[in-house]
Amino acid sequence: MEITNVTEYEAIAKEKLPKMVYDYYASGAEDQWTLKENRNAFARILFRPRILIDVSKIDMTTTILGFKISMPIMVAPTAMQKMAHPEGEYATARAASAAGTIMTLSSWATSSVEEVASTGPGIRFFQLYVYKNRKVVEQLVRRAEKAGFKAIALTVDTPRLGRRESDIKNRFTLPPNLTLKNFEGLDLGKMDEANDSGLASYVAGQIDRTLSWKDVQWLQTITSMPILVKGVLTGEDARIAIQAGAAGIIVSNHGARQLDYVPATISALEEVEIILNYKHQFLF
């Protein structure tokens, strides 16, 4: 089958991947209303084409945190990519570099920060979940910085995992041949089987539910990398994030995988943009 647009990958993935793996990548939380709304909201945004403009030379380059990229599109953090392909995050890192844009590596990658850095040059950010054991967090942040990562994308919308019903039905767990590579030497790289979702049980046991705005400031004491707050959907939180010292905002509803019946990310963007001072970065 010849691929002519991005959506066709989904049909191929459904055909080729084990059901548990496909459902993990493809599903949202609860009724999946926001999952549908994420796409529907884009469909309601229409072009207003202007004509008779010289388009023989088009420049889509832009800058994020001072880094020049080829287009206003970045690769968002996606966990456990080796479930889909043996190359996993290696391939994503090489592709992002070749495209001249930024890859954000997930904390829950199946390749470590060091392994991804070894794939070659490229601008890379690191997505961070804050564990109850803050020494683990400090160690991971310092490893990312040492490996050449340029920013931390702090996920703030996951004090507990969203109720992903497909994962519950499938008793989702990480396949036995894979580990969460960044945690492999800390006895945190494996997921135990559970009566519902193994990932939900892992999050309940490890992720710090006390995470608050003061921790944005705490992170700034352990790294010189800029902190991006990922998971903002309101203007009020955008303002607080900047006041807490965040270098930028990532407007996100976590791919509709956390709290259902929240606005589509694109619908929340305008409110956040209005609140933010023009001097600060925000990402969608």
Side-chain angles (χ1 to χ4, degrees), residues 36-246:
K36 300 182 186 77
E37 178 65 5
N38 273 349
R39 185 167 292 178
N40 291 340
F42 264 101
R44 292 193 293 269
I45 298 172
L46 306 180
F47 293 114
R48 295 183 65 251
R50 300 296 303 276
I51 59 171
L52 293 176
I53 305 295
D54 183 352
V55 293
S56 59
K57 295 180 181 178
I58 298 173
D59 182 5
M60 293 198 300
T61 61
T62 188
T63 58
I64 296 293
L65 297 178
F67 298 106
K68 187 174 182 179
I69 56 177
S70 64
M71 54 188 163
I73 300 171
M74 295 166 52
V75 179
T78 308
M80 312 177 210
Q81 292 182 20
K82 286 187 178 179
M83 292 196 303
H85 191 278
E87 287 285 293
E89 294 86 1
Y90 295 173
T92 303
R94 290 194 295 264
S97 179
T101 192
I102 296 169
M103 173 193 181
T104 304
L105 182 70
S106 170
S107 280
W108 295 337
T110 39
S111 308
S112 69
V113 289
E114 294 85 2
E115 288 171 334
V116 168
S118 74
T119 62
I123 306 164
R124 299 179 184 112
F125 296 170
F126 181 70
Q127 175 271 329
L128 179 69
Y129 288 111
V130 174
Y131 279 55
K132 294 174 182 177
N133 185 340
R134 293 301 177 94
K135 291 189 183 303
V136 168
V137 178
E138 290 183 35
Q139 182 186 105
L140 190 53
V141 168
R142 292 189 173 119
R143 282 173 55 198
E145 189 163 15
K146 185 178 179 181
F149 285 70
K150 301 302 183 184
I152 294 292
L154 173 65
T155 294
V156 296
D157 60 5
T158 314
R160 61 184 301 160
L161 201 70
R163 191 171 186 274
R164 305 171 190 177
E165 295 179 8
S166 292
D167 288 352
I168 294 170
K169 291 173 182 174
N170 293 330
R171 301 293 189 264
F172 175 83
T173 190
L174 191 62
N177 62 312
L178 297 173
T179 62
L180 303 179
K181 271 283 189 172
N182 288 312
F183 303 94
E184 195 172 45
L186 303 167
D187 291 329
L188 297 170
K190 283 289 188 182
M191 239 174 255
D192 294 329
E193 293 184 2
N195 290 328
D196 47 21
S197 161
L199 181 58
S201 296
Y202 181 88
V203 169
Q206 301 300 335
I207 299 303
D208 191 349
R209 294 186 185 180
T210 71
L211 190 70
S212 68
W213 290 111
K214 64 179 172 39
D215 294 305
V216 177
Q217 297 168 321
W218 169 73
L219 272 176
Q220 293 169 70
T221 69
I222 66 169
T223 182
S224 61
M225 289 184 288
I227 309 298
L228 304 172
V229 176
K230 178 182 179 291
V232 173
L233 286 173
T234 67
E236 295 92 332
D237 282 342
R239 181 185 287 115
I240 297 170
I242 296 304
Q243 290 170 349

